[in-house]
């Protein structure tokens, strides 16, 4: 429960730029309510999912600008926070064909010693903050129109996601022959919704459509297997 509230607070602390002020006010009021009034985990997750649906287009659009900023000048921010010796170690590491993403993912852990990893971790945090600040200035300034256009694109994608999740729910509701499959579908829908609000890893919107195709195939396979076990009666005395 406390960890979920903490995730909610992180979400609020990292709201994307240019989010409508009335929505920002609503979200902050929800957080204050959760922190001061009794609630249960299910209610808390429902509130987070509802907010996730509302802010997802802005979050996804801003994430794209953050990625572009990191690819363009992320290493400059990183190197500026490393001592000279570790800067050289990093350049050697890059010459081996490794990337900045590899450091973020932890793949480079064995390359650096404990002291170097500690400094690298601090530098990565500083880099992330600098990237976010730079991207924020970009999207509220010179790249505002591009950012707003990208938000509209993700709003359209969100409508596709909602439609896909609706089809999955419909599939589950009609599934009377295989209750376990129905539960599996509902759990998958829930995991997608959790991905909208940091409660689970994010996802590619095309995964929703693939999930529907997968469960349709699973239903057909289960129905086929069920038929194999049905006893067929043959009347040998029919003339």
């Amino acid at each position: 429960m406390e960890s979920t509230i903490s995730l909610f607070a992180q979400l609020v602390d990292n709201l994307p730029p240019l989010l409508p002020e009335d929505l920002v006010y609503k979200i902050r009021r929800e957080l204050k309510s959760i922190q001061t009034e009794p609630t249960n985990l299910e209610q808390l997750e429902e509130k987070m999912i509802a907010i996730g649906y509302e802010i997802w287009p802005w979050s996804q659009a801003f994430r794209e600008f953050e990625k572009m900023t990191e690819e363009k000048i992320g290493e400059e921010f990183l190197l500026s926070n490393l001592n000279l010796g570790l800067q050289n170690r990093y350049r050697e590491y890059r010459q081996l064909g490794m990337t900045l993403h590899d450091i973020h993912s932890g793949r480079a852990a064995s390359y650096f010693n404990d002291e170097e990893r500690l400094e690298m971790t601090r530098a990565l945090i500083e880099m992330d903050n600098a990237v976010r600040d730079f991207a924020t200035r970009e999207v509220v300034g010179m790249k505002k129109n591009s950012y707003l256009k990208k938000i509209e694109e993700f709003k359209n994608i969100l409508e596709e996601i909602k439609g896909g999740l609706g089809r999955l729910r419909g599939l589950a509701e009609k599934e009377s022959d295989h209750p376990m499959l129905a539960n599996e579908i509902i759990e998958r829908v829930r995991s997608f919704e959790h991905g909208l609000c940091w409660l689970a890893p994010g996802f590619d919107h095309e995964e929703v459509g693939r999930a529907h195709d997968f469960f349709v195939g699973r239903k057909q396979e289960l129905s086929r297997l069920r038929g194999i076990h049905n006893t067929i009666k043959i009347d040998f005395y029919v003339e």
Side-chain angles (χ1 to χ4, degrees), residues 31-48:
L31 176 60
K32 185 175 181 180
S33 172
I34 288 167
Q35 291 173 327
T36 57
E37 299 175 10
T39 188
N40 59 49
L41 183 58
E42 184 177 354
Q43 291 173 330
L44 174 56
E45 288 185 356
E46 287 295 335
K47 289 181 178 181
M48 288 187 67

Side-chain angles (χ1 to χ4, degrees), residues 108-119:
S110 61
Y111 182 81
F112 300 100
N113 62 38
D114 290 344
E115 184 178 341
E116 289 171 337
R117 283 197 294 272
L118 181 60
E119 183 176 348

Side-chain angles (χ1 to χ4, degrees), residues 9 17 21 53 61 65 68 78-79 111 124-125 148 179-180:
E21 291 185 8
Y53 272 110
F65 280 85
M68 288 188 291
L78 178 66
L79 290 169
Y111 182 81
L124 284 170
I125 293 173
L148 294 176
M180 290 183 64

Side-chain angles (χ1 to χ4, degrees), residues 76-92:
E76 294 180 27
F77 289 134
L78 178 66
L79 290 169
S80 67
N81 287 288
L82 298 176
N83 63 50
L84 183 59
L86 194 48
Q87 286 180 18
N88 292 331
R89 286 278 289 156
Y90 174 78
R91 291 189 177 97
E92 291 172 359

Side-chain angles (χ1 to χ4, degrees), residues 6 9 23 32 35 51 63 72 99 104 107-109 142 160 173 195 235:
S6 177
L23 182 54
K32 185 175 181 180
Q35 291 173 327
I51 290 172
R63 189 166 297 153
K72 185 178 178 181
T99 66
H104 262 306
R107 287 184 59 192
M142 295 179 61
E160 293 179 15
E173 290 170 1
D235 188 350

Side-chain angles (χ1 to χ4, degrees), residues 16-218:
L18 302 183
L19 199 65
E21 291 185 8
D22 58 337
L23 182 54
V24 173
Y25 174 77
K26 173 186 172 182
I27 294 170
R28 296 191 183 282
R29 185 180 59 190
E30 283 282 14
L31 176 60
K32 185 175 181 180
S33 172
I34 288 167
Q35 291 173 327
T36 57
E37 299 175 10
T39 188
N40 59 49
L41 183 58
E42 184 177 354
Q43 291 173 330
L44 174 56
E45 288 185 356
E46 287 295 335
K47 289 181 178 181
M48 288 187 67
I49 288 169
I51 290 172
Y53 272 110
E54 292 193 85
I55 70 173
W56 189 82
W58 279 268
S59 296
Q60 293 300 114
F62 185 58
R63 189 166 297 153
E64 287 207 359
F65 280 85
E66 283 186 299
K67 287 180 180 178
M68 288 188 291
T69 299
E70 181 176 305
E71 290 172 0
K72 185 178 178 181
I73 55 176
E75 282 191 334
E76 294 180 27
F77 289 134
L78 178 66
L79 290 169
S80 67
N81 287 288
L82 298 176
N83 63 50
L84 183 59
L86 194 48
Q87 286 180 18
N88 292 331
R89 286 278 289 156
Y90 174 78
R91 291 189 177 97
E92 291 172 359
Y93 157 87
R94 290 285 280 117
Q95 289 175 357
L96 295 175
M98 307 299 277
T99 66
L100 184 58
H101 174 73
D102 292 321
I103 292 184
H104 262 306
S105 66
R107 287 184 59 192
S110 61
Y111 182 81
F112 300 100
N113 62 38
D114 290 344
E115 184 178 341
E116 289 171 337
R117 283 197 294 272
L118 181 60
E119 183 176 348
M120 186 67 73
T121 299
R122 293 196 189 105
L124 284 170
I125 293 173
E126 292 298 326
M127 183 199 77
D128 288 341
N129 291 336
V131 165
R132 183 175 181 85
D133 290 344
F134 189 93
T136 298
R137 292 195 297 272
E138 290 269 274
V139 300
V140 300
M142 295 179 61
K143 296 186 178 179
K144 180 177 180 179
N145 289 338
S146 298
Y147 177 53
L148 294 176
K149 182 178 179 181
K150 185 62 67 174
I151 290 170
E152 292 303 314
E153 291 177 11
F154 278 109
K155 284 182 179 180
N156 292 332
I157 292 174
L158 181 59
E159 290 305 311
E160 293 179 15
I161 291 173
K162 289 179 180 178
L165 295 181
R167 286 190 291 275
L168 283 170
R169 290 192 185 94
L171 194 63
E173 290 170 1
K174 296 175 183 177
E175 190 47 72
S176 57
D177 293 335
H178 311 289
M180 290 183 64
L181 178 60
N183 290 335
E184 189 178 342
I185 295 170
I186 292 302
E187 288 177 6
R188 190 70 181 107
V189 169
R190 196 68 170 176
S191 71
F192 281 131
E193 291 185 322
H194 282 181
L196 296 173
C197 61
W198 293 20
L199 289 173
F203 58 92
D204 187 302
H205 69 280
E206 294 179 351
E207 291 180 44
V208 179
R210 290 196 292 268
H212 182 273
D213 294 341
F214 169 79
F215 285 118
V216 169
R218 284 265 290 139

